[in-house]
């Protein structure tokens, strides 16, 4: 099987050809590998045996590296003990204690296989706790769940009844006045505010003026004053900005928090943590109280994913993984900025300087952010063996040598970029321009 035939066949079998739209063909240039056959450390190999340096690391979920031995060993040991039983597995308590030891603000935890499951569970708990219906999230943020409460508010809301979409309301990210105005518009109706703690774009140009922690403190107080639950979604920031995440970095106490990518090195383990008073609503001890049907799934506590999570936490604790990963991010940013300057492209290519996940911006000749130029940059990097989508997600297996390889390819790609700026990008693209995931029409 080669890349072309894989690409042709997969869409006949799987709608979208992948299991998140972010991995779809329309998100990559035409020369991207159609599928990954296997990965090891910071590298992946496609169906034709071509090797790539991986920059995306499984949508940021692989924090240590592909097929990372110490995690695999724990998983293998667990597989031999069985993975799903008729009663809870003993490893569930071990994981609960281990994860909560990282989150002293919270006393209880529920596991799940997907991030969307835990964000949706947090929303449900908040509605049950407050008796209110509305959910608020920042309009600029890209994704919180594939469930109706979130997707109903995007451009891609076909299949979601308007009545459901109307129960979600938005405010401007990192803008406390906007959140205050929302509470004033819907007095006593907002059950919860859900937000990611910080984005790479949280610099001086953001409404928080580079201080997302200050916004979060104000937003938590405001939510509490207004009787709403505050949910922090650490799906992306968890195990990247700090250990366990931005909650610790900013010293804040959300009522509930959601975790996923990165916490089990790519294995399917996600978690909802929270204050006992709210989480206990999903319990069965308060006889006589109304039951809240919280997360209840057959595979939610599959033991080998919990073993992967425990092994990942142990690696983070004993090997100071956060420092390694952030140093990789810092070195990459410095080297990329030098390269951009050496090509005199500062006004066209920028790196947003968050050491936990550097993001690249690509602009056209008029200096507008451009999907066509991003496609060109990806195409040229892929041509040189770098599987790059405009974001570099540092992992424990990335090394100084990998940064060197990235920068060599980046420098050569910028030569092409510069020529395209002068002569027009269309002549340099070998296929279609990448498209936004959230669009109304295909
Ligand atoms: C901030 C955030 N929350 C929730 C999710 C949902 O996670 P999952 O894809 O595991 O359902 C994502 C996924 O991209 C995310 O980025």
């Amino acid at each position: 099987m080669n890349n072309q035939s894989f690409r042709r066949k997969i869409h006949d079998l799987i709608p979208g050809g992948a299991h998140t739209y972010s991995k779809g063909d329309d998100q990559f240039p035409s020369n991207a590998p159609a599928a990954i056959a296997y990965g090891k450390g910071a590298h992946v190999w496609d169906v034709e045996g071509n090797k790539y340096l991986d920059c995306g690391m499984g949508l940021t979920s692989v924090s240590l590296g592909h097929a990372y031995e110490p995690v695999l060993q724990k998983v293998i040991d667990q597989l031999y003990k069985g993975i799903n039983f008729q009663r809870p597995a003993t490893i569930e308590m071990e994981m609960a204690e281990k994860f909560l030891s990282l989150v002293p603000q919270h006393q209880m935890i529920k596991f799940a296989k997907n991030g969307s499951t835990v964000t949706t569970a947090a929303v449900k708990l908040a509605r049950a706790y407050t008796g209110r219906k509305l959910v608020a999230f920042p309009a600029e943020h890209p994704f919180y769940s594939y469930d109706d409460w979130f997707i109903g508010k995007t451009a891609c809301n076909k299949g979601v009844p308007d009545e459901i979409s109307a129960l979600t309301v938005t405010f401007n990210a990192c803008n406390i006045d906007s959140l205050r105005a929302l509470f004033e518009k819907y007095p006593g109706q907002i059950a919860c505010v859900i937000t990611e703690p910080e984005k790479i774009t949280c610099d001086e140009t953001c409404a928080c003026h580079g201080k997302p922690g200050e916004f979060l403190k104000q937003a938590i107080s405001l939510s509490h004053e207004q009787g709403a639950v505050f949910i922090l979604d650490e799906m992306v920031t968890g195990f990247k900005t700090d250990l366990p995440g931005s909650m610790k970095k900013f010293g804040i106490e959300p009522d509930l928090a959601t975790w996923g990518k990165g916490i089990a090195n790519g294995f399917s383990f996600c978690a909802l943590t929270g204050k006992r008073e709210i989480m206990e609503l999903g319990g069965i001890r308060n006889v006589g109280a109304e039951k809240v049907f919280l997360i209840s799934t057959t595979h939610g506590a599959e033991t080998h994913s919990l073993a992967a999570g425990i092994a990942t936490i142990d690696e983070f604790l004993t090997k100071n993984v956060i420092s390694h990963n952030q140093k990789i991010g810092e070195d990459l940013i410095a080297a990329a900025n030098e390269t951009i300057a050496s090509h005199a492209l500062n006004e066209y290519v920028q790196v947003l300087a968050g050491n936990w996940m550097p993001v690249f911006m690509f602009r056209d000749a008029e200096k507008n952010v451009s999907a066509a130029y991003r496609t060109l940059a990806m195409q040229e990097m892929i041509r040189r063996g770098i599987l790059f989508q405009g974001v570099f997600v540092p992992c424990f297996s990335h090394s100084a040598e990998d940064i060197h390889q990235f920068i060599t390819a980046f420098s050569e790609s910028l030569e092409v970029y510069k020529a395209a700026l002068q002569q027009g990008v269309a002549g340099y693209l070998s296929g279609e321009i990448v498209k936004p995931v959230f669009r109304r029409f295909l």
Side-chain angles (χ1 to χ4, degrees), residues 114-117 119 143-146 196 233 235-236 261 270:
N114 290 293
S116 296
T117 311
T119 51
F143 197 61
Y144 283 97
S145 176
Y146 86 97
E196 289 190 79
D233 185 1
M235 207 68 59
V236 175
K261 300 164 190 269
C270 297

Side-chain angles (χ1 to χ4, degrees), residues 357-387:
M357 200 174 72
V359 172
F360 290 68
M361 305 273 284
F362 297 100
R363 297 176 188 274
D364 61 19
E366 281 73 48
K367 299 177 190 162
N368 297 315
V369 174
S370 162
Y373 278 87
R374 188 162 76 88
T375 309
L376 178 67
M378 286 159 67
Q379 172 191 296
E380 294 307 310
M381 292 294 272
I382 288 170
R383 184 165 282 155
R384 292 166 177 81
I386 315 287
L387 188 50

Side-chain angles (χ1 to χ4, degrees), residues 85-103:
F85 310 115
Q86 193 68 16
R87 300 237 59 209
T90 50
I91 197 171
E92 291 180 42
M93 177 134 59
E94 188 186 342
M95 172 50 105
E97 285 177 336
K98 180 148 266 182
F99 204 91
L100 286 169
S101 72
L102 300 176
V103 192

Side-chain angles (χ1 to χ4, degrees), residues 233-254:
D233 185 1
E234 295 251 30
M235 207 68 59
V236 175
T237 49
F239 285 37
K240 293 190 189 68
T241 56
D242 207 330
L243 189 64
S246 302
M247 266 174 87
K248 179 168 171 208
K249 177 173 161 185
F250 299 134
I252 52 172
E253 257 190 54

